[in-house]
Structures are given as C-alpha cells and as structure tokens.
C-alpha cells in the first residue's frame, strides 16, 4: 500500500476535483491523507465529506503553521 499526501489550505474551488481524480485511479491499494492546514474556507468540510464516503481517505486538521512547518 502507498500513501498519497495532499496538503490542503483554502482551496475549496479545486479540492473536490483533486480528490475525485486521485480516487478514480486504476490502482486502488492506497490511502489518501488530506492535511488541512487551518483552512478558512470550506476545504476542510469537503475533505471530511470524502472521508465519510471512502475509507481510503483520512483527514488531519491542524492549525496553520506557515510554510514548511
């Protein structure tokens, strides 16, 4: 199994399409880790919705720590 890690920060316009694209891959033995770095828009909520629908999706919410922290 592999892990696909996607950083998420204020990207509600694009995150749904990104997640759908990853989940649609022919290779299915992976986990998708969505790291919500304190988004102020609906990005975190969208990620949570996907995690409820697909057990491969895991969401981690954390306070924004700035670039590279």
């Amino acid at each position: 199994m592999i892990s696909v890690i996607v950083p998420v920060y204020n990207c509600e316009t694009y995150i749904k399409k990104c997640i759908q694209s990853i989940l649609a891959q022919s290779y299915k033995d992976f986990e998708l880790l969505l790291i919500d770095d304190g988004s102020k828009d609906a990005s975190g909520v969208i990620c949570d919705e996907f995690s409820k629908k697909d057990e491969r999706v895991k969401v981690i919410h954390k306070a924004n720590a700035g670039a590279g922290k």
Side-chain angles (χ1 to χ4, degrees), residues 24-46:
Q25 300 301 308
S26 59
Y27 185 78
K28 301 294 183 191
D29 189 23
F30 66 89
E31 66 178 349
L32 176 57
L33 302 175
L34 301 169
I35 313 301
D36 177 22
D37 191 26
S39 294
K40 297 181 184 348
D41 63 4
S43 299
V45 174
I46 294 168

Side-chain angles (χ1 to χ4, degrees), residues 38-58:
S39 294
K40 297 181 184 348
D41 63 4
S43 299
V45 174
I46 294 168
C47 292
D48 288 338
E49 290 172 0
F50 275 96
S51 72
K52 291 175 185 171
K53 296 176 188 173
D54 193 313
E55 65 184 19
R56 297 175 294 173
V57 180
K58 311 284 189 291

Side-chain angles (χ1 to χ4, degrees), residues 3-4 9 13 19 22-23 31 35-36 48 53-54 59:
S3 297
V4 178
Y9 183 73
T13 305
I19 295 169
I22 294 168
L23 294 177
E31 66 178 349
I35 313 301
D36 177 22
D48 288 338
K53 296 176 188 173
D54 193 313
V59 182

